[in-house]
Amino acid sequence: MESFQVHILAADRTFYEGPCESLTIPTSDGEQGILARHSAMIAAVQPGTLRYRVPGQGVQLAAVSPGMVKVEANEVLVLVDAAERPEEIDEARARREADEAREAILQKKSRQEYQLAQASLARALNRLRVKAQGL
């Protein structure tokens, strides 16, 4: 299978840079699949599961937070706030974060706090989902 160059960058680190045979990204329009020679595009990345295949290896997973993806000239740039491999996710911590977010949602203090709690809950549940898929 033909490969292309991918750069997956989180706010705090380079998550992965190198050759890639396929990439699936959660976007606002649903999951977008990218293969070599994909047409140019820019899209918003939504919290979810990013899947990528490095030549000679199986599909790898990552929990990603919001960001953007740009495809141009057989090169892909993914910029996200956070990206974590299943083995990097602390399941107990993610469960605590989900419980705290649920409690904050129930308290409904202000609209902004409610929206922050919803985003936190979505991130924690996504991390738990990716952790379970990676086992």
Side-chain angles (χ1 to χ4, degrees), residues 69-101:
V69 58
K70 179 180 106 174
V71 180
E72 185 176 55
N74 216 32
E75 196 160 324
V76 179
L77 173 62
V78 179
L79 300 172
V80 291
D81 292 334
E84 297 174 281
R85 291 174 178 83
E87 62 273 13
E88 297 172 337
I89 297 170
D90 180 340
E91 187 174 356
R93 182 173 149 229
R95 288 192 188 287
R96 271 194 317 277
E97 290 170 353
D99 291 342
E100 290 168 6

Side-chain angles (χ1 to χ4, degrees), residues 7 23 47 56 59 89-90 94 102 105 107 111 124 127 130 134-135:
H7 309 273
L23 177 68
V59 172
I89 297 170
D90 180 340
R102 284 186 187 101
I105 287 171
Q107 292 181 15
R111 181 172 178 84
R127 293 174 73 225
V130 170
L135 296 178

Side-chain angles (χ1 to χ4, degrees), residues 44-61:
V45 174
Q46 298 296 310
T49 304
L50 179 142
R51 293 173 183 80
Y52 63 103
R53 181 185 300 273
V54 174
Q57 298 181 21
V59 172
Q60 311 220 7
L61 304 176

Side-chain angles (χ1 to χ4, degrees), residues 32-47:
Q32 291 281 334
I34 298 170
L35 297 172
R37 302 178 192 272
H38 193 283
S39 60
M41 70 171 231
I42 295 178
V45 174
Q46 298 296 310

